[in-house]
Amino acid sequence: MNKLKIHVEKIVRPIRASDRSKMKMREELLGHLLAGHKEALSLGKNNPIDAAINQLGNTDRLRDELQASVSHLEQFCALRLKTNLEQSFKPSSKSDFTLALRASMEVVFFCALLLLLPALAVAILGNPSKEVSTYVPIIIIFASMGVAFLISTFAYRALHFPQITHPSSSASCYLKGVIETMNWLVMIGLFLTFIGILDHWIYPLTSDIPFPEVLLIVARQPILIFMPAISFLVTAYAAYVTRKQYMAWDNLEITE
Amino acid sequence: MSKIEKDMLRGHLDGLVLSILEKDSGHGYDILKRLREESQDTLQLKEGSLYPALYRLEEAALVKARWDESNAAKSKGPRRRVYSITPKGEKMLGRQREKWTHFSQIIGRIMEAPS
């Protein structure tokens, strides 16, 4: 089974796609190879494992075909946010600071693109709260997240990551999970910004609202605090569980 | 019967898969076996090529897939993904059949041996 898994991993690992898609490919290809192996055994073939692998076809060609089946949006997200992030943690001739700076700039740039949506809404619908510009807290949030990301990435590299992230070390998977969670923190910051903008719009409308609806306003503040906290905990846990699930594949040594 | 190799199949694989799934849903290996059986073992398809085709069809909403956990529970092996055709896929298959009939009639007429 290990030889079949290694063959699957050789095909799937270099593909630019989300973890979910890659896991789907791994499970399906492994299931296929196992079924092929079973059939080759029943037919009394000499080397059933190699027979199953040969039947699957040329590795490079299959990888290209699988890559082509991944949507451009998914490839973009996987390449820019994840693969590049992982690349940033691999040994390189570039300085730790340069790599950390590049990774953090990319994440902030991607978030700035997402920010275009509420910015457009403000431009079209107007900003009801004239006292404070909506853009100031947004800029502060993103600048601080960028700095936090830069520091964490730099610190991670400085912590002798080549030893930590060696394929045979299970610790790497947990740490990768943590780093991915950092990535999600940025997304949650974005979510907070959305709520903040909505809050600016809703507030002037709520002053004359009668009792039952006023409860919504009272509930608003805890929601503002707890929603991101809950999403963070859920996301962090999900990242950890997912990473644990992928650990068996990530740790496979696929070099000849 | 002579074998039909992959180059001749290019461009027809999606239609063949939809056609198989129209009869009954199935997982990858099962689809392949049915393709082989229906072609009386003449289709020489590199098995891996089936999966990119299935993902393309799924992306285009021509097929839908669900995970079948029974295999994993029974034999502790990987889960299987069972594919079935969607109404959009059925319409697409109908169009592909019409095109194929038209194409084969024209080619047949040209390729026909002189009487």
Side-chain angles (χ1 to χ4, degrees), chain A residues 102-162:
Chain A
R102 201 184 67 183
S104 54
M105 290 291 281
E106 277 175 2
V107 169
V108 172
F109 175 71
F110 185 73
C111 290
L113 279 179
L114 290 179
L115 191 67
L116 219 64
L117 200 64
L120 272 174
V122 171
I124 296 165
L125 300 170
N127 177 9
S129 175
K130 304 287 178 201
E131 291 152 23
V132 186
S133 164
T134 317
Y135 292 103
V136 176
I138 293 172
I139 291 165
I140 293 170
I141 288 171
F142 275 96
S144 46
M145 278 190 299
V147 172
F149 199 84
L150 173 68
I151 293 169
S152 75
T153 314
F154 181 66
Y156 191 67
R157 281 191 68 85
L159 283 171
H160 308 293
F161 71 90

Side-chain angles (χ1 to χ4, degrees), chain A residues 1 21 23-32 34-37 39 52 54-58 61-62 65-66 68-69 71 74 245, chain B residues 6-7 10 27-29 32-33 36 45-56 58-59 67 76-83:
Chain A
M1 172 126 157
S21 295
M23 205 60 201
K24 173 182 81 181
M25 293 173 190
R26 283 167 178 145
E27 277 197 78
E28 284 212 276
L29 291 177
L30 181 63
H32 188 99
L34 285 170
H37 174 247
E39 194 181 282
N54 287 338
Q55 271 295 102
L56 201 64
N58 180 278
R61 194 167 174 176
L62 178 55
E65 286 180 8
L66 285 168
S69 72
S71 75
E74 190 181 328
Q245 189 193 348
Chain B
K6 199 184 170 241
D7 284 347
R10 193 168 289 151
H27 55 81
Y29 200 77
L32 211 80
K33 264 175 76 175
R36 265 195 240 147
L45 180 71
K46 278 294 173 194
E47 297 180 357
S49 303
L50 177 71
Y51 294 95
L54 283 169
Y55 299 154
R56 271 198 311 273
E58 194 185 2
E59 179 79 17
W67 285 107
K76 301 233 181 256
R79 296 177 297 170
R80 279 172 170 171
R81 215 144 178 270
V82 178
Y83 294 87

Side-chain angles (χ1 to χ4, degrees), chain B residues 4 6 8 10 12 15 22 25 27-28 33 38 43 50 64 69 75 77 81 85 88 99 113-114:
Chain B
I4 300 170
K6 199 184 170 241
M8 283 178 78
R10 193 168 289 151
H12 302 297
E22 189 193 32
S25 55
H27 55 81
K33 264 175 76 175
E38 293 208 15
L43 288 183
L50 177 71
K64 59 181 183 203
E69 311 274 347
S75 62
R81 215 144 178 270
I85 194 165
K88 194 178 167 190
K99 274 188 193 168

Side-chain angles (χ1 to χ4, degrees), chain A residues 209-235:
Chain A
I209 290 177
F211 174 70
E213 285 87 353
V214 97
L215 283 176
L216 285 173
I217 305 161
V218 179
R220 193 177 57 200
Q221 299 311 325
I223 286 172
L224 274 179
I225 298 163
F226 285 116
M227 282 277 282
I230 291 168
S231 354
F232 172 72
L233 287 176
V234 170
T235 321

Side-chain angles (χ1 to χ4, degrees), chain A:
Chain A
M1 172 126 157
N2 211 41
K3 194 174 174 187
L4 297 179
K5 276 180 102 170
I6 288 171
H7 187 72
V8 169
E9 193 56 12
K10 267 184 201 165
I11 299 166
V12 177
R13 192 176 286 179
I15 293 174
R16 292 185 306 278
S18 66
D19 277 341
R20 185 189 286 260
S21 295
K22 286 172 83 162
M23 205 60 201
K24 173 182 81 181
M25 293 173 190
R26 283 167 178 145
E27 277 197 78
E28 284 212 276
L29 291 177
L30 181 63
H32 188 99
L33 283 173
L34 285 170
H37 174 247
K38 204 173 157 187
E39 194 181 282
L41 266 178
S42 68
L43 293 172
K45 289 193 179 172
N46 275 344
N47 199 335
I49 291 180
D50 287 341
I53 288 174
N54 287 338
Q55 271 295 102
L56 201 64
N58 180 278
T59 308
D60 294 333
R61 194 167 174 176
L62 178 55
R63 189 187 300 119
D64 290 346
E65 286 180 8
L66 285 168
Q67 183 66 73
S69 72
V70 180
S71 75
H72 291 298
L73 180 68
E74 190 181 328
Q75 283 190 44
F76 172 79
C77 292
L79 180 73
R80 307 313 298 172
L81 276 177
K82 192 167 174 303
T83 315
N84 261 22
L85 196 65
E86 284 185 358
Q87 292 285 327
S88 308
F89 300 123
K90 285 180 183 160
S92 166
S93 55
K94 287 179 183 161
S95 79
D96 290 353
F97 181 75
T98 314
L99 286 166
L101 184 69
R102 201 184 67 183
S104 54
M105 290 291 281
E106 277 175 2
V107 169
V108 172
F109 175 71
F110 185 73
C111 290
L113 279 179
L114 290 179
L115 191 67
L116 219 64
L117 200 64
L120 272 174
V122 171
I124 296 165
L125 300 170
N127 177 9
S129 175
K130 304 287 178 201
E131 291 152 23
V132 186
S133 164
T134 317
Y135 292 103
V136 176
I138 293 172
I139 291 165
I140 293 170
I141 288 171
F142 275 96
S144 46
M145 278 190 299
V147 172
F149 199 84
L150 173 68
I151 293 169
S152 75
T153 314
F154 181 66
Y156 191 67
R157 281 191 68 85
L159 283 171
H160 308 293
F161 71 90
Q163 285 80 12
I164 302 168
T165 56
H166 189 270
S168 60
S169 160
S170 61
S172 69
C173 298
Y174 178 72
L175 287 170
K176 275 186 197 169
V178 172
I179 295 298
E180 279 170 25
T181 309
M182 287 292 297
N183 207 353
W184 280 104
L185 255 178
V186 180
M187 298 301 166
I188 290 160
L190 195 75
F191 174 67
L192 254 174
T193 317
F194 267 108
I195 293 179
I197 291 168
L198 285 176
D199 196 46
H200 270 281
W201 272 321
I202 292 164
Y203 189 71
L205 304 171
T206 50
S207 50
D208 300 328
I209 290 177
F211 174 70
E213 285 87 353
V214 97
L215 283 176
L216 285 173
I217 305 161
V218 179
R220 193 177 57 200
Q221 299 311 325
I223 286 172
L224 274 179
I225 298 163
F226 285 116
M227 282 277 282
I230 291 168
S231 354
F232 172 72
L233 287 176
V234 170
T235 321
Y237 182 71
Y240 174 63
V241 170
T242 313
R243 186 46 65 194
K244 250 179 99 175
Q245 189 193 348
Y246 299 155
M247 210 156 79
W249 292 96
D250 277 350
N251 288 347
L252 282 174
E253 197 76 68
I254 58 169
T255 46
E256 295 289 342

